[in-house]
C-alpha cells in the first residue's frame, strides 16, 4: 500500500543550492519507488547564486509559493501574522504564512500518513499541522538550526544563547514525532541543545545516492581534479593551493590540472596569480546542477574542501553526488569529522587535514602516484548501501 506524504520543502523545486539538491534527490528516489503518493509545497525566490532547474520528477502535486526576501510592509505584516498563526515569528517565517492556505487545503483533502518538513521555516508548519490535525510530524535537519547554533566559524556553537526568536524556534523544533539527521555527528551535536528530544525519536538517514549510469569522458594523459561549489569563507582553499604549488615545484614534470567550478574569494585568486599557478588551476563559471554533473565526467578525482571546524559534523551534498558518479573523493576537511569517518570506512579514497599543508601535499603525492599507476580507487559498494535508493526508501516507508 502506498504511503501518502505531505512534503514541506522550501528548498527543492525549483532546484538551487545544496539544500534543494539534497531534497530533490530524495523526492526523486521516493517517487521512483512507486511506494509513495507525495504532495510537495516548495518556494521560489527571486535570486540565488547558481542557475536553478525545474522539475523532472512525477509527484502527485507540486505547489510553489513565491517568497520575498526584502523588508517591506507586506513582509513585516506577514511576520506579525506568523506570531498569531504559529505562536512564533522569526526571519523567513513569513513564507510559512504564505504557504499555510494551500497546506490547510491539502490536509483537509487528503489523509496523510505523515508530514515531512525540510529546511526553515517549514518546521513551524509541521508543528502547526500536528497540533491542529493530529498528523504525525517528521522533521529533517540537514544542517543545525537556528543559524546561531552552527559550529564555529560558521556560527557561535551549540552553547550560543541566541535571541528570544532562536529560543522560540528551538522550543517548537523539539515537538516533532521523528527527527532525521544525515549523520551521527550532526545528531549528537544538535541533541546538545534539543535536550527534550529522546534518542528513540531520532534516526540517521544520509543523503541519497541515486542509481545512475556513469560514462566517464576523461583521458589519462593529464590528471584532472575538480572542485565544484563555493569556496567562500569560512571555507578556505589556501592550504590546498600552497600544497599544490609545492607539489608542482617538487615535481615539475607532473601533468595535473585543478578546475574550480563555482565561487572563489578575491584573495584566493590573488594567491593563485602570485604563485603563478594559472597554467594548472583554472576557473569554470557557475552552471546548473545538471551541467555540473556532466562536467564531473571529465575528471579523475573530485575534491571537497571544508571549513576548519573543531569537528566536521556536516555531510556535504557533493559527497553523495560524487559517490553517485563513481568518483574517487579527495576530502580536505577537519581531522575529526564525518568525512574522516567515511575515509576510515573506505567510502572516501583520499583525506587530509584542512589545517595541515604538509599533510595535503603528502596526500597529493599519493593520489598522483595512484593515477600514474592507474590505481585510482573506486568507491566500495558495500559502504554505499546505507546511501542507496533502496535503503533510504525502505527507511522512509517504515518511519511510522
Amino acid at each position: 500500500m502506498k504511503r501518502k506524504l505531505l512534503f514541506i520543502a522550501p528548498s527543492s523545486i525549483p532546484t538551487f543550492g545544496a539544500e534543494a539538491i539534497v531534497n530533490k534527490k530524495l523526492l526523486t528516489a521516493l517517487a521512483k519507488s512507486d511506494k509513495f503518493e507525495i504532495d510537495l509545497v516548495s518556494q521560489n525566490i527571486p535570486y540565488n547564486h547558481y542557475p536553478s532547474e525545474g522539475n523532472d520528477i512525477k509527484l502527485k502535486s507540486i505547489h510553489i509559493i513565491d517568497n520575498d526576501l526584502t523588508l517591506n510592509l507586506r513582509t513585516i505584516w506577514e511576520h506579525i501574522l506568523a506570531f498569531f498563526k504559529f505562536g512564533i515569528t522569526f526571519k523567513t517565517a513569513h513564507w510559512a504564512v504564505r504557504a499555510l492556505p494551500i497546506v490547510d487545503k491539502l490536509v483537509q483533502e487528503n489523509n496523510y500518513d505523515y508530514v515531512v518538513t525540510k529546511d526553515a521555516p517549514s518546521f513551524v508548519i509541521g508543528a502547526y499541522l500536528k497540533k491542529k490535525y493530529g498528523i504525525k510530524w517528521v522533521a529533517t535537519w540537514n544542517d543545525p538550526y537556528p543559524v546561531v547554533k552552527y559550529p564555529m566559524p560558521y556560527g557561535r556553537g551549540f552553547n550560543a544563547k541566541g535571541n528570544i526568536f532562536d529560543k522560540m524556534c528551538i522550543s517548537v523544533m523539539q515537538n516533532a514525532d521523528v527527527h532525521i539527521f544525515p549523520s551521527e555527528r550532526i545528531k549528537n551535536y544538535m541533541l546538545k541543545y534539543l535536550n527534550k528530544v529522546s534518542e528513540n525519536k531520532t534516526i540517521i538517514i544520509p543523503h541519497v545516492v541515486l542509481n545512475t549510469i556513469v560514462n566517464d569522458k576523461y583521458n589519462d594523459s593529464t590528471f584532472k581534479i575538480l572542485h565544484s561549489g563555493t569556496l567562500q569563507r569560512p571555507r578556505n582553499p589556501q592550504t590546498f593551493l600552497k600544497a599544490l604549488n609545492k607539489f608542482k615545484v617538487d615535481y615539475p614534470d607532473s601533468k595535473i590540472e585543478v578546475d574550480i567550478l563555482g565561487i572563489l574569494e578575491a584573495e584566493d585568486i590573488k594567491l593563485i596569480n602570485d604563485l603563478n599557478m594559472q597554467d594548472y588551476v583554472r576557473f569554470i563559471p557557475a552552471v546548473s546542477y545538471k551541467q555540473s554533473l556532466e562536467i564531473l565526467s571529465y575528471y579523475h578525482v573530485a575534491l571537497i574542501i571544508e571549513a576548519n571546524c573543531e569537528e566536521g559534523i556536516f555531510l556535504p551534498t557533493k559527497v553523495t553526488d560524487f559517490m553517485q558518479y563513481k568518483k574517487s573523493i579527495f576530502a580536505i576537511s577537519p581531522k575529526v569529522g564525518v568525512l574522516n569517518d567515511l575515509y576510515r570506512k573506505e567510502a572516501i579514497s583520499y583525506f587530509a587535514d584542512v589545517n595541515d599543508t604538509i599533510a595535503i601535499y603528502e596526500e597529493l603525492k599519493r593520489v598522483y602516484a595512484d593515477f600514474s599507476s592507474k590505481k585510482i580507487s573506486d568507491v566500495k559498494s558495500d559502504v554505499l548501501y546505507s546511501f542507496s535508493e533502496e535503503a533510504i526508501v525502505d527507511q522512509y516507508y517504515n518511519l511510522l
Side-chain angles (χ1 to χ4, degrees):
M1 189 170 85
K2 286 190 177 183
R3 292 280 196 179
K4 298 184 71 173
L5 308 185
L6 174 60
F7 259 67
I8 315 294
S11 297
S12 55
I13 298 171
T15 307
F16 46 83
E19 178 73 20
I21 291 166
V22 164
N23 295 336
K24 184 182 177 183
K25 286 173 69 174
L26 172 60
L27 287 164
T28 299
L30 299 182
K32 280 173 58 180
S33 74
D34 205 33
K35 292 183 177 181
F36 300 87
E37 187 176 278
I38 300 172
D39 292 306
L40 171 67
V41 178
S42 185
Q43 74 167 334
N44 191 33
I45 60 174
Y47 60 86
N48 54 79
H49 288 300
Y50 296 98
S52 65
E53 295 179 346
N55 174 46
D56 55 2
I57 56 177
K58 292 183 179 180
L59 303 175
K60 182 189 172 192
S61 68
I62 301 174
H63 308 270
I64 300 175
I65 313 298
D66 284 338
N67 201 351
D68 182 352
L69 304 180
T70 63
L71 184 65
N72 55 55
L73 288 176
R74 180 183 174 185
T75 56
I76 291 170
W77 173 241
E78 286 169 334
H79 278 87
I80 295 170
L81 280 180
F83 182 79
F84 289 103
K85 291 285 186 181
F86 307 119
I88 178 175
T89 194
F90 54 95
K91 187 177 180 180
T92 76
H94 67 294
W95 180 85
V97 171
R98 295 186 179 193
L100 195 56
I102 188 64
V103 169
D104 269 325
K105 184 173 184 291
L106 287 168
V107 171
Q108 290 163 13
E109 294 175 350
N110 297 276
N111 183 25
Y112 293 114
D113 289 287
Y114 54 89
V115 57
V116 178
T117 60
K118 291 293 183 176
D119 49 316
S122 64
F123 66 90
V124 295
I125 301 178
Y128 166 90
L129 295 178
K130 177 180 178 179
K131 182 177 181 180
K132 183 173 180 179
Y133 299 103
I135 299 176
K136 294 291 185 180
W137 169 28
V138 176
T140 303
W141 312 108
N142 290 331
D143 296 311
Y145 195 82
V147 174
V148 69
K149 294 285 190 178
Y150 264 61
M152 295 183 283
Y154 289 100
R156 303 211 302 269
F158 67 86
N159 279 324
K161 291 183 179 180
N163 56 37
I164 187 171
F165 302 107
D166 297 325
K167 293 173 183 176
M168 292 167 71
C169 288
I170 291 169
S171 178
V172 172
M173 289 164 62
Q174 305 200 78
N175 293 325
D177 295 286
V178 176
H179 298 260
I180 296 176
F181 304 91
S183 75
E184 190 77 24
R185 288 187 183 275
I186 195 170
K187 181 200 79 173
N188 294 339
Y189 182 90
M190 290 186 66
L191 290 193
K192 291 175 182 177
Y193 62 89
L194 298 179
N195 46 38
K196 294 181 181 177
V197 176
S198 59
E199 283 274 350
N200 63 6
K201 287 190 173 184
T202 68
I203 184 170
I204 307 301
I205 304 181
H207 308 326
V208 66
V209 173
L210 297 175
N211 299 329
T212 305
I213 296 173
V214 177
N215 294 306
D216 284 324
K217 300 173 184 175
Y218 56 72
N219 62 62
D220 288 333
S221 61
T222 300
F223 179 47
K224 299 188 71 174
I225 300 175
L226 178 69
H227 182 283
S228 53
T230 178
L231 280 172
Q232 291 175 302
R233 301 297 182 265
R235 296 188 184 104
N236 188 339
Q238 297 219 352
T239 50
F240 169 75
L241 293 171
K242 290 172 183 176
L244 178 62
N245 178 65
K246 176 175 171 55
F247 176 82
K248 282 295 291 182
V249 168
D250 291 351
Y251 301 92
D253 295 330
S254 61
K255 295 181 179 180
I256 183 171
E257 291 179 0
V258 176
D259 288 348
I260 297 171
L261 170 59
I263 301 171
L264 198 64
E265 297 276 11
E267 63 186 285
D268 300 324
I269 296 173
K270 182 178 184 301
L271 177 64
I272 291 167
N273 292 333
D274 289 347
L275 295 175
N276 296 313
M277 302 173 71
Q278 302 94 324
D279 289 343
Y280 55 94
V281 178
R282 303 181 304 177
F283 309 105
I284 303 174
V287 297
S288 71
Y289 173 63
K290 185 176 180 180
Q291 288 174 303
S292 74
L293 297 178
E294 292 171 356
I295 290 170
L296 180 61
S297 66
Y298 290 90
Y299 295 82
H300 299 89
V301 167
L303 179 66
I304 294 176
I305 299 177
E306 288 197 296
N308 184 27
C309 300
E310 183 178 354
E311 177 188 8
I313 64 171
F314 299 101
L315 175 60
T317 305
K318 292 299 179 184
V319 170
T320 47
D321 286 344
F322 298 154
M323 287 178 173
Q324 185 172 315
Y325 283 81
K326 309 296 188 294
K327 293 297 175 182
S328 290
I329 298 171
F330 184 1
I332 298 177
S333 306
K335 60 184 177 181
V336 176
V338 172
L339 297 194
N340 196 22
D341 296 340
L342 290 172
Y343 171 69
R344 291 174 184 276
K345 293 176 182 177
E346 299 183 300
I348 283 178
S349 305
Y350 306 97
F351 180 89
D353 180 358
V354 67
N355 207 34
D356 190 337
T357 300
I358 297 303
I360 298 169
Y361 166 78
E362 293 296 333
E363 197 71 345
L364 267 172
K365 288 200 300 183
R366 185 168 81 91
V367 67
Y368 190 80
D370 284 353
F371 161 75
S372 299
S373 57
K374 302 187 186 302
K375 293 179 181 178
I376 293 291
S377 57
D378 295 324
V379 176
K380 294 201 171 181
S381 59
D382 56 336
V383 176
L384 281 178
Y385 181 72
S386 63
F387 293 83
S388 70
E389 290 185 35
E390 295 79 9
I392 288 171
V393 164
D394 184 64
Q395 284 179 293
Y396 268 88
Y397 192 82
N398 295 300
L399 269 179
L400 293 166

